[in-house]
Amino acid sequence: MKVYEGNFLKDVVAKLLDDGYRVYAPVKEKNYHVFKVVENADEVDFDYINTRRSPKDVTFPENEVLMKYGEWVEEIPAQADKTAIVGIRPCDIQGLRLMDRVFLEDITDPYYEAKRKNLLVVGYACNEAGDYCFCTSVGLSPFKSDYADIIVTELGDKQVVEIRSEKGEAVASKFDLSDASDEDVSRKKELEQKVLSSFVRSVNTENLKERMAEAFNSDYWKEVAENCVSCGICTYLCPTCFCFDIFDDGELKGVRIRAWDSCQFPLHTLESSSHNPRREKWQRLRNRFYDKFYYMLVRKGEFYCVGCGRCIAACPVGIDIAEVINNIPSGV
Ligand code: SF4
Ligand code: SF4
């Protein structure tokens, strides 16, 4: 464990920009933060709990042109500049790991792979839980991640720098880091205890698979869905929602685009026969909860919710995934 006397995150942004990286980092906009491509380290603001949007668009853009067509077809090659994301929280690093499992594990998506291979991940341990956070309920830590290249903890006057990969080592070696003292280690532990005690929200995952299997046909899902307006914002902001659609924009001449889609939209599952297996709003809403806590658990062995709380914070009608899961009826 190393320490840096100063703001490692800000200095790393400056260094990576000098080295020709495309750098995504948190930027303050109005009263919230978002990850943006920055051109100067002074644009960055690391004083945040989490960003309003997840950074999934770094490897999985909202819209991506795959091909141009007209008199000739021009395929767009899968390529990416060397890119870094700096200041990403541990829940979003887990989001990236879960997306990797979708886009790289069984079938390799070349567009995703090119971006992912060229990505350096500099994580930022949480020093406070947000009102909607519940990452500890889904088995995650707010200050650890073995999936980052580097993870940084803020101690106020200095930052603890933990190097997790060769890629991270190559970057960290350009900085004047010293070994963490016993006092630094104990200050870090104290901070971690403080962070853990700041969580106000939790999800009961005990026997969840069995409870969800039992409740699948319950009218509970109709009650939960009553006020949902099918806006899809919960899925757009989620770091692990990966559904997309591919369409052609233009008749004889145009572009083929891959764009995010949402299971909350009625057309998402409409088949060409006009049959729709999730015709009703409550079936679509139920799908989101089952996708996060049941289907992906069966398919991949882990929850596809990282407890970031974004869907709770943004839902216009107050649908709260933690509350919904905790209130699943038993014995139905
Ligand atoms: S389902 Fe909600 S809380 Fe879970 S990862 Fe997605 S946005 Fe975050
Ligand atoms: S954000 Fe809320 S209202 Fe919009 S689709 Fe999701 S659950 Fe429904």
Side-chain angles (χ1 to χ4, degrees):
M1 195 185 286
K2 302 282 184 190
V3 287
Y4 184 71
E5 304 285 337
N7 191 333
F8 180 81
L9 289 172
K10 191 169 175 189
D11 292 351
V12 97
V13 168
K15 179 74 191 135
L16 292 168
L17 287 169
D18 279 353
D19 289 352
Y21 275 80
R22 180 180 166 86
V23 179
Y24 287 83
V27 171
K28 189 166 186 195
E29 292 208 331
K30 297 177 186 159
N31 59 345
Y32 55 86
H33 286 74
V34 282
F35 277 99
K36 281 190 133 180
V37 175
V38 295
E39 286 174 6
N40 188 310
D42 290 333
E43 290 171 47
V44 184
D45 181 8
F46 290 108
D47 185 15
Y48 78 111
I49 291 180
N50 212 347
T51 51
R52 180 168 286 193
R53 286 171 64 123
S54 80
K56 69 178 170 187
D57 56 334
V58 173
T59 48
F60 175 44
E62 201 169 332
N63 293 291
E64 185 164 27
V65 175
L66 306 179
M67 188 180 92
K68 291 181 186 169
Y69 56 86
E71 286 170 36
W72 304 98
V73 168
E74 183 196 335
E75 284 193 29
I76 306 294
Q79 60 186 23
D81 300 331
K82 60 179 185 176
T83 304
I85 180 160
V86 180
I88 178 173
R89 296 296 192 186
C91 60
D92 286 336
I93 300 172
Q94 170 73 353
L96 182 66
R97 195 180 79 75
L98 296 176
M99 291 298 239
D100 286 356
R101 296 200 63 191
V102 170
F103 287 103
L104 303 175
E105 206 168 70
D106 299 325
I107 297 169
T108 301
D109 181 303
Y111 292 92
Y112 184 95
E113 186 188 35
K115 293 181 204 52
R116 185 64 185 94
K117 266 190 176 165
N118 279 296
L119 184 66
L120 174 85
V121 178
V122 182
Y124 190 21
C126 297
N127 39 19
E128 187 185 349
D131 293 345
Y132 304 106
C133 297
F134 59 93
C135 68
T136 47
S137 297
V138 289
L140 302 180
S141 159
F143 26 74
K144 288 191 191 121
S145 175
D146 289 335
Y147 212 63
D149 295 303
I150 297 176
I151 186 142
V152 174
T153 306
E154 177 66 66
L155 290 184
D157 52 338
K158 57 178 85 166
Q159 292 187 330
V160 174
V161 178
E162 293 171 86
I163 299 153
R164 293 272 175 247
S165 72
E166 281 178 22
K167 239 195 232 180
E169 179 64 53
V171 172
S173 66
K174 296 174 182 164
F175 289 83
D176 189 12
L177 301 174
S178 45
D179 290 334
S181 65
D182 289 350
E183 193 201 338
D184 296 328
V185 174
S186 75
R187 281 177 69 193
K188 184 173 184 289
K189 277 195 186 137
E190 259 172 51
L191 174 72
E192 291 175 357
Q193 283 312 315
K194 195 190 99 197
V195 176
L196 287 176
S197 60
S198 68
F199 278 83
V200 292
R201 191 175 288 271
S202 64
V203 170
N204 174 14
T205 56
E206 205 183 326
N207 300 326
L208 187 53
K209 196 166 145 195
E210 292 72 25
R211 286 195 282 130
M212 290 190 83
E214 199 179 65
F216 187 76
N217 290 316
S218 165
D219 283 346
Y220 174 66
W221 303 109
K222 292 183 185 162
E223 287 164 34
V224 170
E226 205 171 332
N227 293 325
C228 171
V229 292
S230 300
C231 64
I233 198 72
C234 46
T235 56
Y236 275 31
L237 299 185
C238 178
T240 70
C241 276
F242 51 82
C243 289
F244 61 82
D245 195 6
I246 293 179
F247 59 92
D248 291 345
D249 185 16
E251 288 185 4
L252 294 177
K253 189 174 176 202
V255 287
R256 177 162 293 173
I257 297 174
R258 164 159 78 181
W260 292 355
D261 199 357
S262 171
C263 61
Q264 300 309 295
F265 298 153
L267 293 183
H268 182 72
T269 44
L270 181 65
E271 296 166 7
S272 49
S273 64
S274 83
H275 171 64
N276 191 339
R278 294 201 289 264
R279 189 180 294 272
E280 304 296 333
K281 181 177 69 174
W282 65 268
Q283 295 171 317
R284 299 191 291 274
L285 195 76
R286 178 182 64 182
N287 180 72
R288 181 163 78 86
F289 299 115
Y290 275 76
D291 209 34
K292 300 291 164 200
F293 287 99
Y294 185 89
Y295 301 140
M296 293 306 274
L297 184 64
V298 171
R299 282 177 60 197
K300 301 269 189 196
E302 51 192 333
F303 296 133
Y304 259 63
C305 170
V306 300
C308 70
R310 287 185 178 93
C311 58
I312 308 173
C315 176
V317 296
I319 293 175
D320 176 335
I321 192 167
E323 214 172 84
V324 170
I325 296 298
N326 286 339
N327 291 337
I328 290 175
S330 51
V332 284

